[in-house]
Structure formats: C-alpha cells, structure tokens
C-alpha cells in the first residue's frame, strides 16, 4: 500500500505499476534534462508532484516544445536559422576530420550571437573517439549498486517495502 517517491533524478517516470514515482527535475538546467532517456520523459515534459492526502497529481511545468524556453536540436551546417526562442540548444550532425575546425568556429560564432541558456556540442567528428573513456565511465557506473545505497538509508520497514516492490518487478 506504499508509494515510493524519488526526486533526485533528472528524468521523470513511474515504474513498478506506479508504485514508484520518480518526479525528475521540475525545470531543466541542462540539455540532458531536456531529452528523453530510457523510460524517462518520453513526452518531453517536466512535472511537479502535487500531493493532497492520498491523491497525487503530476502537473506540467515545462515542455521541450514551449514557445519560450523550450529545447531545439540544430545541425551545425545550418545554424543561421537560429534557435527560435529555445533556451536549450543541442548542436548535432556529422563532420569529417577536415571539418572539425569549421565545427568549432560555427558553434563559437553561434554562442556569441544567441542568448540561449545552454548550448551544447553533440557533433560527431570523424576520427574523434573517446571510446576508451566512455567504456571506463560505463564500468564505473556498473560498479555502483543503487538499490544497496537506497536500502542503507531506510529503516527496516521501509527496506521490506522496497524489497517487496522489487520482487514484483
């Protein structure tokens, strides 16, 4: 009969038959917050959770498609069209190794002329990897057992409730 509510994750979602509610950020603070990840934020929105007694309601606070402050992806070869009113911009596309310097120049010029809150570079430049660093990061993440960390913070009754939820998954 318990519902577990978690707040410190960037992407909101509900899991285990709505017994676990992950609120996520109510407002984005990064481009990553604007994007869907896994099961999280499939609708491109952020929410706050309003609790009235036994009733809970997720209330929209932000959308990637908002006319003011939304999110947009722009190809690095077509930055002249601008971000509209988006506060969060992710510059994407593919470039050859020879175009690498052009990518940096285009993004630098874009940053100087647009007052976006956050502008990130996700352009894939041929020959620029980072696969080793990424593999190490994934291994570091895999080494952390989030359930054990959570259980260590709970009293025995709360631990039992979480374990029961996990058994049902």
């Amino acid at each position: 009969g318990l519902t577990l509510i978690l707040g410190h994750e960037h992407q909101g979602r509900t899991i285990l038959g709505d017994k676990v509610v992950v609120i996520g950020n109510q407002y984005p603070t990064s481009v990553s917050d604007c994007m869907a990840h896994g099961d999280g934020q499939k609708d491109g929105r952020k929410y706050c959770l309003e609790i009235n007694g036994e009733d809970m309601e997720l209330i929209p606070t932000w959308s990637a498609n908002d006319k003011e402050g939304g999110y947009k992806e722009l190809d690095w070869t077509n930055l002249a069209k601008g971000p509209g009113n988006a506060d969060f911009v992710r510059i994407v596309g593919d470039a050859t190794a020879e175009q690498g310097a052009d990518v940096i120049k285009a993004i630098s010029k874009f940053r100087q002329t647009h007052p976006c809150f956050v502008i990130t570079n996700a352009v894939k430049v041929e020959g620029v990897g980072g696969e080793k660093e990424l593999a190490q990061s994934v291994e570091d993440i895999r080494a952390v057992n989030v359930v054990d960390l959570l259980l260590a913070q709970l009293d025995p009754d709360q631990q039992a409730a979480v374990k029961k939820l996990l058994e049902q998954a």
Side-chain angles (χ1 to χ4, degrees), residues 2 6 12 19 27 29 31 36 46 52 54 57 62 69 75 80 94 116 118 120 124 130 147 149 153 158:
L2 297 175
L6 303 173
K19 289 293 185 187
Y27 294 94
T29 58
V31 165
K46 295 291 185 184
N52 290 315
E54 297 290 319
E57 180 182 5
W62 180 89
D75 191 281
D94 295 307
C116 304
V118 178
T120 63
K124 295 176 186 158
V147 173
L149 291 173
Q153 300 301 311
Q158 293 168 331

Side-chain angles (χ1 to χ4, degrees), residues 123-134:
V123 177
K124 295 176 186 158
V125 178
E126 178 183 79
V128 177
E131 290 86 6
K132 287 183 181 179
E133 293 83 3
L134 180 59

Side-chain angles (χ1 to χ4, degrees), residues 5-69:
I5 300 170
L6 303 173
H8 190 76
E9 285 194 26
H10 293 268
Q11 305 299 324
R13 63 190 180 282
T14 58
I15 54 178
L16 298 174
D18 296 338
K19 289 293 185 187
V20 177
V21 177
V22 180
I23 301 168
N25 289 1
Q26 290 88 26
Y27 294 94
T29 58
S30 69
V31 165
S32 182
D33 289 348
C34 300
M35 301 166 57
H37 296 283
D39 292 332
Q41 198 170 314
K42 295 284 188 202
D43 63 359
R45 293 185 162 277
K46 295 291 185 184
Y47 296 88
C48 69
L49 182 66
E50 185 175 286
I51 302 171
N52 290 315
E54 297 290 319
D55 297 326
M56 293 186 298
E57 180 182 5
L58 288 169
I59 299 171
T61 57
W62 180 89
S63 171
N65 298 318
D66 283 347
K67 290 182 181 176
E68 294 290 329

